[in-house]
Amino acid sequence: MDSITIGIADGDAHGPISRFYDAVGYTGGVEPADTILVARDPHRIVAVVRLTMEHGHLLLRGMQVAADMRRRGLGALLLRATVEAIHQRECWCIPHQHLVLFYGRAGFVEAQLSATPAFLRDRRARYMHAGHAVTVMVRRVAAT
């Protein structure tokens, strides 16, 4: 992991990021206004996550790690960098159920559906209908 760098992508990186997402099968796309964190080794992009604003809410979306780089702690490093980018803002995500503990280590908690924005409840329902076991999680702003 010594040769891995993580940083916020500039606008010129959207093409390579889109190609990475295509290669790993992620279909959520990339929007010009997204804040995208990219992990690279000296030769290629190895992981990506994006922060996007939807309906006035910050969302963590598209956390993807190249198959040959999984189970090495890269996702945890990228998530830590993402939490730094989130800073003290509330942030939502819809991870697969088996990732609840992973996101929990970064301060995300499962959200009550009744307290979840309607567009996220609808998205969760579509994912569930498509056969994906997902949940809605939120990382709240720390009380001061």
Side-chain angles (χ1 to χ4, degrees), residues 24-60:
V24 297
Y26 176 72
T27 60
V30 177
E31 298 295 326
D34 291 346
T35 298
I36 304 169
L37 285 90
V38 178
R40 301 174 194 270
D41 71 12
H43 309 287
R44 65 189 174 127
I45 294 173
V46 293
V48 174
V49 64
R50 64 192 189 104
L51 295 170
T52 186
M53 288 298 292
E54 295 182 33
H55 304 279
H57 296 278
L58 182 66
L59 275 70
L60 182 158

Side-chain angles (χ1 to χ4, degrees), residues 17-26:
I17 291 165
S18 292
R19 287 189 291 280
F20 173 83
Y21 272 151
D22 289 343
V24 297
Y26 176 72

Side-chain angles (χ1 to χ4, degrees), residues 122-137:
D122 293 345
R123 185 173 296 165
R124 176 190 169 271
R126 285 193 311 275
Y127 292 165
M128 298 284 285
H129 183 73
H132 301 285
V134 296
T135 190
V136 178
M137 298 184 79

Side-chain angles (χ1 to χ4, degrees), residues 80-109:
R80 251 191 311 271
T82 304
V83 167
E84 288 178 21
I86 292 168
H87 193 55
Q88 288 297 314
R89 296 179 288 170
E90 180 178 85
C91 185
W92 296 82
C93 64
I94 304 179
H96 287 91
Q97 284 282 345
H98 71 275
L99 295 171
V100 167
L101 290 175
F102 173 76
Y103 286 100
R105 288 186 201 110
F108 285 85
V109 296

Side-chain angles (χ1 to χ4, degrees), residues 1-2 4-6 37 39 47 49 63 72-84 102:
M1 288 304 192
D2 292 338
I4 302 292
T5 60
I6 297 174
L37 285 90
V49 64
M63 169 79 84
R72 298 181 184 193
L74 181 55
L77 289 174
L78 187 57
L79 185 58
R80 251 191 311 271
T82 304
V83 167
E84 288 178 21
F102 173 76

